[in-house]
Amino acid sequence: MIRPTRRAAILLAGCLAAACSPTQSATADKEPPPAVTIARPLLATVPQTMDLTGTVTASASVDLMARVAGTVATVDFADGARVRKGQPLFHIAPETYQAQLAASSAQLSQTAAEYTRQQRLFADDATSRAALDNARFALEQAQANQRLGRINLSYTIVRAPFDGWMSSAAISAGGYVAPGATKLATIQQIDPLSVEFTLGERQVLQVLAAMRARGQADAPAASRYPVAIGLLDQPDYPYRATLDFAQKAIDTATGSLQARAVLSGTGDATLLPGMFARVRIAFPADDASLLLPVASIQSDPLGDYVFVLDKDHIVRRRDIRTGGDVGPNRVVLGGLSPAHWVIVDGLVNVRIGGKAKPRTTMLALPEAAQ
């Protein structure tokens, strides 16, 4: 049985709890809405760009292999040296191949004399047609052996297949090499240099549309589409290149397409194969575009979006499609109109469906559109 004093205490506690709950709710409802800064999107005609990351590659890279067996007599270049096409790089001891050529030349002289004798005998009806044919076959075999001997002797000198830069020698003088099995060195052609990069399917469509706008829809014209290149530590894109190659099909596993741009005549020793490079593709700006500060654009697995205020100062989410960056701003391709008020500052404290206290501002026009 509950005593009266204890019953009174329980009833008092219940009354206090019931009285306090509406008060706390009212206090929460009376919290002022967060202050935000809103602005209308900029409407400007700006060149749109696509920024990608690629890798600098040599336009040609060849592993030099021995084509005849023997001992390396000399290595005729310095590691890392620049060489010219046809320049001797390795000498393989030629004595064996000189002797083989001498033997094949002697055999050729003998068979040539025999063939001449058989021709005279056949003219005098002193030998058979078969004997003459056999002499001719022997002569042709000797001629082929002599040519082979000259080829093998020429292979004892390994020459540069093109102008380029050498790696370090993989074998020293005195080392034994086997044909097709021994790598001697690597030569790379770095003028012109290439930059390889990948494009997503949406980016491929954007590039194709830009090519059509330039009248470059056909493949030969597409190879002249300009591309700007910069290294990771450069604020701009000082190198000019042209689109040289693009695969004819999108990889269904990755949804991307491999492409290549070529730089020629750079003469810049800072560009080396294997470096990461920034690739910028510019598109013609025919129509005015909407611009927003990059900091006002949010992203999640569903895509890019911004917060806007409606006429009642209620925060709403608006999904958008974005393009490239123009200074501190980003191009908005869809999902927004110039009439929207976009929250550009104070995003931390807002919530969708809640109210906000706006302060208006005007966005600055980027230099590219001035």
Side-chain angles (χ1 to χ4, degrees), residues 3 34 63 82-83 119 144 156 159-161 166 178 260 313 338 349:
R3 296 179 181 180
D63 290 336
R82 184 172 186 175
V83 296
Q119 284 181 313
T156 62
R159 302 178 183 274
M166 295 300 301
R260 181 181 64 210
H313 295 173
N349 299 320

Side-chain angles (χ1 to χ4, degrees), residues 292 297-298 303-306 318-322 332 334-336:
L292 282 178
I297 299 174
Q298 312 294 308
D304 295 335
Y305 65 93
V306 293
R318 191 136 191 113
D319 294 324
I320 61 173
R321 290 187 300 106
T322 59
V332 178
L336 204 66

Side-chain angles (χ1 to χ4, degrees), residues 189-211:
Q189 186 176 28
I190 61 174
D191 189 9
L193 280 170
S194 301
V195 176
E196 295 182 351
F197 55 96
T198 56
L199 297 164
E201 186 171 352
R202 182 178 295 179
Q203 294 168 325
V204 171
L205 295 174
Q206 193 174 357
V207 172
L208 291 176
M211 287 180 175

